[in-house]
Amino acid sequence: MLRSALLAAGRSPSVRRLVEANPLTKPVVRRFVPGTSPEDAVRATRELSEQGLFVTLDRLGEDTLDASQADATVRDYRRVLGVLAEQGLADRAEVSVKLSAVGQFLSKDGEKIALDNARLICEAASAVGTTVTLDMEDHTTTDSTLGILRDLRVDFPWVGAVLQAYLRRTEQDCRDLATAGSRVRLCKGAYAEPESVAFQDKSEVDRSYVRCLKVLMRGEGYPMVATHDPRMVAIAGDLAARFGRAEADFEYQMLYGIRPDEQRRIAAEGGKLRVYAAYGDEWYGYFMRRLAERPANLAFFLRSLATQ
Ligand code: FDA
């Protein structure tokens, strides 16, 4: 109930105005979002890299209906990739892209614009020797996103994609993508989805996550295990060992500000851990999904407001 309400609030312009206007919100948002500019993002990358962690940077700004905003997002990605290279960090960080931030929802030729824009970001990533991963948004975009992935991988075979274990289709998508050179980030899924397409029960989602992990670990691609769940982390390690994968043949991924001690522990024990750090002004939808995921995040937010 609470999760659905928070996810609905995450798409409500009036709640958005209320939350954004509160001056006390910003310090709390900083726990999950390291800053607004490419320089802030690169600073966070350096700090995380000094702790032995890898990074993927997401420029916030989903669901745009404005072509000039999509262009600005592309320019920002290209700039952040340039700054990463200048500062010698391109081997520590890649970028994650939401196709809805680069034009997928534009009414005229949205998919083509998103593909062209994603291609520009891939060219910039290729020039500095790093990779791009496509985020996955709600289920109405899955086919379009996987289609764009296929097109991009013709020229940039290292482009990765996110699959969401809560979707009933995902085990099959994992089979399709568990091929040589294919990078798949497996997460549980963060949107409010109908029962017709998604498992609703947490234990069903967890069971699906394990089935998908098995497919990816057994396959020939590069699994990226995106979860904070200690059970899933342990199962991923066991499956990697069972299928003869070395530490370099898969990686763990967690969100910026969530379980930082665990992130450092995995890295200290020789695992590869990549932190997903989102930056920019458009933090509202991302922030609300983090609150929806976990009552403790919401309690932290409310407590911070109460004690200011
Ligand atoms: P879940 O929320 O089920 O929690 C399981 C357990 O993990 C908890 O019981 C607790 O032990 C531990 N835990 C979780 N959060 C914690 C916290 N804040 N503090 C302490 N312990 C905590 N989603 C999507 O739909 N599309 C996408 O493209 C992405 N991309 C993405 C990238 C990366 C790198 C990550 C890590 C996640 C995403 N997600 C996503 C979000 C994802 O779908 C999911 O909503 C969150 O990761 C939460 O699910 P968990 O697997 O962490 O476990």
Side-chain angles (χ1 to χ4, degrees), residues 2 89 190 222:
L2 180 61
L89 290 165
Y222 182 76

Side-chain angles (χ1 to χ4, degrees), residues 24-100:
L24 302 179
T25 304
K26 280 222 165 112
V28 186
V29 171
R30 281 288 169 272
R31 176 181 155 187
F32 301 106
V33 175
T36 53
S37 67
E39 287 70 23
D40 292 333
V42 174
R43 194 175 319 115
T45 301
R46 178 173 299 290
E47 286 165 13
L48 292 163
S49 163
E50 284 166 1
Q51 299 169 44
L53 305 171
F54 292 78
V55 176
T56 183
L57 291 176
D58 164 42
R59 204 278 196 169
L60 293 163
E62 61 206 73
D63 294 354
T64 190
L65 297 175
D66 175 351
S68 63
Q69 198 184 329
D71 290 344
T73 298
V74 174
R75 279 198 301 279
D76 197 286
Y77 270 113
R78 291 171 68 89
R79 179 150 154 245
V80 85
L81 285 161
V83 182
L84 283 172
E86 271 163 33
Q87 301 207 9
L89 290 165
D91 59 340
R92 302 296 295 192
E94 61 141 33
V95 293
S96 287
V97 177
K98 283 188 174 46
L99 290 175
S100 78

Side-chain angles (χ1 to χ4, degrees), residues 3 31-32 56 96-98 134-138 161-166 185-191 193 202 205-206 209 225-232 252-260 274-277 286 289-290 293-294 296-297:
R3 177 172 178 270
R31 176 181 155 187
F32 301 106
T56 183
S96 287
V97 177
K98 283 188 174 46
L134 302 181
D135 284 340
M136 194 58 84
E137 301 176 67
D138 73 51
V162 176
L163 294 178
Q164 300 151 313
Y166 65 10
R185 172 181 295 157
L186 181 67
C187 69
K188 290 190 187 175
Y191 296 81
E193 298 287 18
K202 183 176 158 30
V205 176
D206 286 355
Y209 196 95
V225 182
T227 180
H228 314 97
D229 188 335
R231 270 187 59 228
M232 297 304 138
Y252 298 99
Q253 300 190 337
M254 295 190 187
L255 301 177
Y256 181 87
I258 300 190
R259 304 196 75 204
R274 189 178 298 276
V275 178
Y276 180 110
Y286 179 82
R289 285 196 294 279
R290 302 295 78 82
E293 255 152 36
R294 193 169 150 82
N297 287 347

